Amino acid sequence: MAFYILRRILQAVPVFFGATLLIYFMVFAMPGDSIAALFGDHQPSPALIDQLRAQYHLDQPFIVQYFFYITGIFRLDFGTSFSGQPVIEVLSRTFPVTLRLAVMSVAIAFVLAIIIGLFSALGKDGVFDNSMLVLALIFVALPIFVLAFLAQYFLAIQLGWFRPTVGADNDWGDLWLPAIVLGFSVYATSMRLTRSSTIDTLNQDWVRTAYSKGLPRRRVIPVHVLRNSLIPMVTDLGTVFGVLMVGATVTEGIFNVPGVGNTLYQAIIRGENPTVVSFVTVFVVVYVFINIVVDLLYGLLDPRIRYVSN
């Protein structure tokens, strides 16, 4: 196990450098002058612009800029935004909010997908199964901004169950409405995966053997069927968690969540390249870490999976 974890970490090293190099190149290769854009129509003196370019190493060749950036990352120095605020402070303020939102969303999607997917598979082609499949298709086809506005209007404004917006003072309770929206936006795919995986597992010979040995249904379903059916969904939800960390921009904007997605969007609008690159770099690290955790979960769900050194 230890050797496998070490090998996966070493495999992640070239992924990290390759992803950060590509991200850095794409962001800083965008047309326009980000320094000049800060001042709009009131341009300062050329000397001041040259001074700011030198401060952010923008007067250096690309590979030199990347070297300064990547060495700063290993010192936990993510640079300074064009507004003069250290990026690490922006991250420390916004990342926990988005992390809480992603955890709550994944938990909602995970629980719903297991329960509904399992009962749909057990009652295949029944009324409940067909109804849930139609409902899942609706959630798949419904854009997330439409779902967010509907939830905000009916659940928050009309019924008053939740706060319509989150704001600066937020806790776990304030994030329930955007978490429900995000959870339902990814629930449909996970539910269909759970259903199809459970149906496939129910048709395996070893499940019929368990029944023939006299094991009761209440043991066969949770221990033998459900456990082995969770592997595809764990893979999907591991990917979804990374996507939610990155792609919650629309939802955070609608509900005014002071998280990473909302801040990243504002940084892109303002052309704050150091903030954009640093945020995306953190996303890369989180995504790689989540994939390693998902790989380790396979062995817990399926005892037949072993981590070998070769």
Side-chain angles (χ1 to χ4, degrees):
M1 174 69 76
F3 183 85
Y4 175 80
I5 296 176
L6 178 61
R7 188 177 66 177
R8 291 289 285 111
I9 293 175
L10 292 177
Q11 289 174 349
V13 171
V15 174
F16 171 79
F17 282 104
T20 53
L21 180 63
L22 180 61
I23 293 165
Y24 199 89
F25 172 77
M26 293 176 64
V27 171
F28 281 86
M30 294 175 62
D33 190 337
S34 55
I35 296 296
L38 290 174
F39 300 94
D41 296 331
H42 305 283
Q43 291 296 306
S45 64
L48 179 58
I49 291 182
D50 291 339
Q51 179 183 350
L52 290 174
R53 286 201 182 102
Q55 178 181 345
Y56 291 98
H57 308 294
L58 298 179
D59 57 340
Q60 302 289 333
F62 165 75
I63 194 64
V64 177
Q65 296 182 43
Y66 177 74
F67 174 78
F68 279 113
Y69 170 73
I70 203 66
T71 52
I73 291 296
F74 288 108
R75 300 194 307 269
L76 294 181
D77 179 12
F78 291 87
T80 306
S81 66
F82 290 160
S83 60
Q85 187 175 14
V87 176
I88 190 67
E89 292 184 4
V90 181
L91 270 171
S92 63
R93 184 176 66 250
T94 59
F95 187 80
V97 180
T98 298
L99 182 61
R100 292 200 303 269
L101 180 60
V103 169
M104 294 171 67
S105 304
V106 169
I108 291 171
F110 191 84
V111 171
L112 289 177
I114 289 179
I115 296 175
I116 297 178
L118 177 62
F119 281 100
S120 293
L122 295 176
K124 180 184 176 184
D125 297 329
V127 175
F128 180 81
D129 181 34
N130 291 326
S131 301
M132 291 301 103
L133 287 177
V134 171
L135 188 62
L137 288 175
I138 294 175
F139 281 117
V140 169
L142 200 63
I144 189 169
F145 65 88
V146 175
L147 183 61
F149 281 125
L150 289 175
Q152 193 176 48
Y153 178 75
F154 288 104
L155 299 182
I157 298 176
Q158 293 295 322
L159 298 176
W161 292 351
F162 305 96
R163 291 178 56 184
T165 57
V166 176
D169 298 328
N170 61 84
D171 54 25
W172 290 89
D174 294 333
L175 295 174
W176 271 113
L177 188 56
I180 290 172
V181 170
L182 284 172
F184 273 92
S185 68
V186 300
Y187 140 81
T189 304
S190 300
M191 188 279 287
R192 291 171 65 89
L193 277 173
T194 305
R195 176 185 177 274
S196 60
S197 180
T198 303
I199 292 174
D200 181 67
T201 305
L202 287 170
N203 293 325
Q204 298 296 319
D205 292 336
W206 47 270
V207 174
R208 289 190 286 267
T209 301
Y211 279 122
S212 66
K213 289 183 177 180
L215 291 178
R217 185 182 179 89
R218 64 178 181 274
R219 177 167 179 80
V220 173
I221 296 301
V223 176
H224 298 281
V225 176
L226 181 59
R227 181 176 178 179
N228 289 278
S229 302
L230 288 180
I231 292 180
M233 197 182 73
V234 167
T235 304
D236 177 66
L237 287 180
T239 304
V240 164
F241 188 85
V243 171
L244 290 178
M245 290 293 300
V246 180
T249 305
V250 175
T251 305
E252 288 188 358
I254 293 174
F255 293 100
N256 194 32
V257 179
V260 171
N262 202 1
T263 305
L264 180 60
Y265 174 74
Q266 297 298 327
I268 294 173
I269 295 298
R270 293 192 296 265
E272 294 192 4
N273 294 342
T275 305
V276 175
V277 174
S278 298
F279 272 47
V280 178
T281 300
V282 173
F283 294 156
V284 171
V285 174
V286 171
Y287 206 82
V288 170
F289 174 76
I290 292 299
N291 277 273
I292 294 176
V293 173
V294 167
D295 289 344
L296 297 178
L297 285 176
Y298 291 154
L300 297 177
L301 294 173
D302 191 344
R304 295 170 298 179
I305 298 177
R306 291 292 180 267
Y307 303 109
V308 295
S309 59
N310 53 358

